[in-house]
Amino acid sequence: MAKMEKKKPVHAPIIGFPVKEGQLTVGGITISQLANRIGSTPFYAYDRNLISDRIAEMRKYLPARLKLHYAMKANPMPAVVHHMSRIVDGLDLASVGEMAVALDTGMDPALISFAGPGKTVQELSQAIAAGVVLNMESQGEMENIARLAKEQGIRAKVAIRVNPDFELKSSGMKMGGGPQQFGVDSEEVPSMLKRLAELDLEFIGFHIFSGSQNLREESLLETQEKTLALAVSLAKFAPNAPKKVNIGGGFGIAYFPGDKRLDLKVLGDGLSDIMAKFHEVLPDTEVVIELGRYMVGDAGIYVSRVIDKKTSRGEVYLITDGGMHHHLAASGNFGQLIRKNYAVAIANRMDVTQSEQVNIVGCLCTPLDRLGDKMTLPSAEVGDYVVLFQSGAYGLSASPTAFLGHPAPKEVLV
Ligand SMILES: *Cc1c(COP(=O)(O)O)cnc(C)c1O
């Protein structure tokens, strides 16, 4: 039998999703009402006000001159991207599929940049016609862009994505430093710039992205300082002063017990000093940061329902209609070295005081499909709503929805 104990409600750390009459709410709507409105579970729900609040917080603490771009791959839901397009300064994308969504928002193409290794001739051609900034990942790509732009009679806007000679320390995912499939090694950039000057291309600047999911202010600031110093040294070889330098981002969010949320004030004060030094040398160059996870990650939840509850040799299993096919990251299979539990709530039993230890699993026929291991939660029954927090970034679009042939979940922006 399950261990039963009487104590205070056991809730995961929850920010921004208040409880009303024992139920979790999203944008003021109780979970059961939202589920009724959507008509089926599982689903993802994103709260537009929480996203706007996060951007407002960034504007408050980060330097006024710093431009904020949204990296669409974190959450490419068209309604989310449209909402972002009205509150950020630009969109960064990594495919022509994302480009179509970005252009539909009405955002000025000059404020949209397209990065990604392995852009095909077809994709380059579409991006040139669209007038977005192409972040070039190799010399070969530059030659292709120059040829295609000439054919179209367009002067393409280009930036060089630089693979720096340093890395972002203590990142969840490193994407710069050492050998990489991303960008042009910094030592090759001067010769590439020399060639660029011979081509009929509009040089916009540099893109230097080092990594993702970092929760250490001092590592982030150290990298930002090195990044801007690298941009200054490379700018000497450019045909014109860079209009923009995109210094990446990498701001992480707190997923797990013990994770400390980033202190935006510390980051803002540090960045302000670093940018002041940079602007002494390049006064008219815009500094851009691009963030995905930090802007939307905390604002989303993934909701599934308990289909079955059973006990196996003393362990209780809540089997849900969701799973890793919708939320790969929560199952611990999206680049994590060890699986840790996301914050979870039984969303229709927020004021239930009786708790038990449970394992939450999905409906897939694979032992990888785990959403919560040995979690102490309010006692749940079949039909209850299981909510996973911190699901606004790298959720649905980063999951193998075709695996095992279950239907895809819905998504709503509330
Ligand atoms: C993935 C990616 C981002 C966004 O990273 P987050 O950790 O979600 O902020 C930004 N820029 C580039 C080039 C990326 O590939």
Side-chain angles (χ1 to χ4, degrees), residues 62 88 112 116 209 263 379:
L62 300 179
V88 297
I112 297 175
F209 178 79
D263 187 332
S379 304

Side-chain angles (χ1 to χ4, degrees), residues 27-224:
I29 307 170
T30 61
I31 210 74
S32 59
Q33 193 181 345
L34 186 60
N36 288 339
R37 176 183 124 179
I38 293 167
S40 60
T41 53
F43 59 86
Y44 277 91
Y46 315 115
D47 183 329
R48 74 179 74 231
N49 289 326
L50 291 181
I51 297 174
S52 296
D53 290 351
R54 177 57 56 90
I55 303 300
E57 209 185 341
M58 296 179 73
R59 301 247 187 236
K60 178 173 172 202
Y61 290 109
L62 300 179
R65 280 190 74 183
L66 181 69
K67 300 287 177 193
L68 307 180
H69 280 207
Y70 175 54
M72 274 181 67
K73 83 169 188 282
N75 188 330
M77 183 200 185
V80 169
V81 179
H82 189 263
H83 181 66
M84 296 308 286
S85 73
R86 291 180 294 173
I87 55 178
V88 297
D89 307 311
L91 298 171
D92 291 342
L93 45 89
S95 73
V96 290
E98 289 185 353
M99 185 174 83
V101 174
L103 292 171
D104 280 348
T105 67
M107 174 72 84
D108 177 356
L111 302 175
I112 297 175
S113 67
F114 181 4
K119 301 182 200 76
T120 64
V121 162
Q122 176 63 36
E123 289 170 320
L124 292 173
S125 172
Q126 286 176 245
I128 292 163
V132 304
V133 179
L134 281 146
N135 292 344
M136 304 184 294
E137 307 260 354
S138 73
Q139 306 231 21
E141 191 172 279
M142 177 167 72
E143 299 295 336
N144 280 338
I145 292 168
R147 181 171 47 78
L148 294 163
K150 199 169 171 197
E151 280 167 23
Q152 291 189 30
I154 290 175
R155 189 147 188 262
K157 293 183 174 60
V158 295
I160 297 180
R161 178 163 181 187
V162 181
N163 175 29
D165 51 3
F166 52 83
E167 53 183 43
L168 175 53
K169 287 181 200 139
S170 23
S171 274
M173 244 183 240
K174 288 192 173 64
M175 289 176 70
Q180 288 287 347
Q181 72 261 51
F182 308 107
V184 178
D185 291 346
S186 47
E187 57 275 22
E188 306 287 333
V189 171
S191 68
M192 183 162 170
L193 283 165
K194 199 167 160 220
R195 173 66 183 142
L196 192 153
E198 296 163 10
L199 300 167
D200 193 17
L201 295 170
E202 184 183 348
F203 174 67
I204 301 293
F206 300 111
H207 174 215
I208 310 175
F209 178 79
S210 303
S212 190
Q213 181 52 22
N214 196 301
L215 288 173
R216 300 179 61 160
E217 294 86 0
E218 65 282 14
S219 305
L220 286 162
L221 288 170
E222 185 192 316
T223 298
Q224 285 161 350

